Amino acid sequence: MTSTPHLRAAVVGTGHRAQLFTRALAARPGHRVAALCDPSPTRMAFHNRLLAEAGEPAAAEWEPERFADLLAEEGIDEVVVTTVDAEHDRYIVPALRAGCRVVTEKPMTVDADRCARILDTVRATGNSLTVAFNYRFNPVHEKVRALLADGAIGEILSVHFEWLLDTRHGADYFRRWHREKRHSGGLMVHKASHHFDLVNWWLADEPQEVFGYGRLGFYGREAGERHGLRRAYTRAHGAAPAADDPFALDLAADDTLRALYLDAEHDDGYLRDRNVFDGPVTIEDDMALVVRHARGTTMTYHLTAYSPWEGYRVMFNGSAGRLELEVEESRWQAPRTGITSARGALHGDTAADHPGGARLTLRPLWRPPVEVPLVTAHEAHGGGDPRMLDALFGPVDPGAGPAGEDAGAVPRPTATERDGALALGVGIAANRCFETGRPVRVRDLLPEVW
């Protein structure tokens, strides 16, 4: 009896989010994590422990500078990129050229030049690139798409989208590498690309023009001093002023965060627990946009990163009525400095404290409103992660079918490099608006998309 051949996978970037992919590949027949690539041997050793727990053999550990050698010597078939956002193209491009299938965490990249390099490589090689937009796979979002596609509100004329990050989740972007725009592209790219992709997908349309304003008004040293929130420390670990600071993160209090970051500091010097009210912070925390799509639909969008509650509201106005979605991920947060997640998660992977609910209301013209039944979850990014992983790598149990598959569910297309570029285009156009105060055409920034 011959054994089933495995697709040999490389996971590049072995921080917190990469756990999702290491565990998923280890659990699925036909896939094997053959290589890990990261500047930190400590983090790679953590992921090898995950593989051992899953009964899988250890993966080879490689330095980023030898990524091309990794691809050749390890016989890699598929690459999962979960590095710092600005580094994505460094691995996507050579992996595509080597003939690998590539999955990258969102955002696809952080600026127009890197995006053009990726798109040019996909076209030149004809190889596959998928962007891991897990929100597409959330069953609530699928229901929204199905209603809109079925014409429940007629022609969609306008959208209002408000996303609120609470002072637990929102603050976390200001503790780590995301706080510098050169690494993350800012929240318009790193975080809001999720939301822009959703709207593009919901509307089956393309963004054309963006105008907006953004500012750093809550986090950072100046704002922290202005609001009386700043305490005098650079990083939380070992700092007495951070001991009872509700904005501080205690890395030592969580086994996973300690193993991935505190114990790895000697490898690369990365500090995961910076003071959110200290510098440098070069991203915004309050952003407002107007986006015009190709068929004329306009969207107003606002992202707040310092809210007392976490969730979002999105409303669609159409020629035959209105569709309203409100999701409360967390109704409020109590001040605390430690977390209890076994995976070191502060948001998304596990349900937040004090979760609320989701409500989808269809308001047709001339008829009473209808409350649409929903299947909801607060963990695994609203149930999107397991569905996305099944779409990417197949189900854990092939005989059981995809996770959460419902009769009559709309198709769950994964996001292509073009989808990734269109979502990125809104974010980098927003960043340009923040600098210039003028509207920006997405096509002018990313002509390669068209």
Side-chain angles (χ1 to χ4, degrees), residues 42-379:
T42 305
R43 285 194 289 272
M44 289 191 286
F46 177 91
H47 279 256
N48 260 326
R49 290 197 293 274
L50 297 181
L51 293 174
E53 291 168 6
E56 288 288 291
E61 299 179 3
W62 288 78
E63 299 175 351
E65 290 72 21
R66 298 192 61 206
F67 181 64
D69 296 332
L70 178 163
L71 295 175
E73 295 184 23
E74 300 292 347
I76 298 301
D77 303 296
E78 53 188 357
V79 174
V80 178
V81 180
T82 62
T83 64
V84 170
D85 299 341
E87 296 286 304
H88 285 183
D89 67 304
R90 175 182 177 185
Y91 303 100
I92 292 171
V93 168
L96 289 171
R97 288 175 177 164
C100 300
R101 177 209 181 193
V102 183
V103 174
T104 182
E105 256 297 334
K106 60 81 196 167
M108 188 170 75
T109 186
V110 298
D111 59 34
D113 289 343
R114 289 177 171 92
C115 183
R117 184 170 177 242
I118 291 170
L119 293 177
D120 289 346
T121 305
V122 171
R123 291 189 181 116
T125 62
N127 289 332
S128 170
L129 174 63
T130 303
V131 184
F133 282 127
N134 54 1
Y135 282 159
R136 287 185 175 213
F137 298 86
N138 181 322
V140 172
H141 300 158
E142 290 180 341
K143 177 63 73 173
V144 169
R145 187 174 191 268
L147 287 167
L148 296 175
D150 287 345
I153 61 170
E155 180 188 357
I156 305 166
L157 303 175
S158 66
V159 183
H160 175 69
F161 199 161
E162 178 185 30
W163 198 285
L164 299 156
L165 300 171
D166 65 26
T167 44
R168 185 169 179 74
H169 182 177
D172 204 40
Y173 294 110
F174 295 83
R175 298 186 185 110
R176 45 189 176 145
W177 55 263
H178 306 74
R179 65 196 260 151
E180 294 186 64
K181 193 170 285 190
R182 65 190 178 96
H183 293 315
S184 67
L187 291 178
M188 287 288 91
V189 168
H190 177 82
K191 182 62 182 175
S193 62
H194 263 319
H195 315 150
F196 302 146
D197 176 68
L198 271 180
V199 174
N200 296 342
W201 183 61
W202 279 331
L203 299 180
D205 203 356
E206 300 171 355
Q208 296 291 300
E209 191 169 39
V210 178
F211 179 70
Y213 293 107
R215 65 178 297 204
L216 181 65
F218 185 82
Y219 300 104
R221 182 171 187 139
E222 180 181 343
E225 290 177 344
R226 187 169 71 249
H227 300 139
L229 296 171
R230 184 178 183 273
R231 303 192 186 189
Y233 63 92
T234 299
R235 54 89 54 95
H237 183 67
D244 61 348
D245 182 359
F247 290 94
L249 177 64
D250 185 356
L251 292 175
D254 181 86
D255 290 342
T256 299
L257 290 176
R258 184 192 310 113
L260 282 174
Y261 300 109
L262 192 60
D263 293 349
E265 288 179 7
H266 67 277
D267 292 336
D268 57 8
Y270 173 56
L271 303 181
R272 175 66 176 78
D273 60 345
R274 299 287 299 276
N275 185 350
V276 302
F277 299 115
D278 199 19
V281 177
T282 57
I283 66 173
E284 299 81 12
D285 56 26
D286 194 301
M287 295 135 279
L289 303 182
V290 178
V291 181
R292 181 174 57 83
H293 286 77
R295 291 198 295 269
T297 306
T298 56
M299 174 180 69
T300 56
Y301 174 84
H302 202 118
L303 176 61
T304 302
Y306 52 89
S307 170
W309 71 279
E310 173 122 341
Y312 51 102
R313 302 183 180 103
V314 57
M315 285 77 78
F316 303 85
N317 298 302
S319 61
R322 177 178 167 97
L323 186 64
E324 301 173 346
L325 173 63
E326 180 172 87
V327 178
E328 283 186 309
E329 299 285 4
S330 176
R331 299 178 64 246
W332 68 284
Q333 284 287 352
R336 59 177 182 163
T337 57
I339 65 172
T340 57
S341 164
R343 298 187 183 180
L346 287 99
H347 46 79
D349 294 341
T350 56
D353 294 338
H354 316 295
R359 180 177 179 180
L360 182 61
T361 307
L362 176 63
R363 299 182 183 273
L365 294 180
W366 317 118
R367 295 197 302 269
V370 177
E371 297 296 328
V372 179
L374 295 174
V375 177
T376 61
H378 289 285
E379 66 281 352

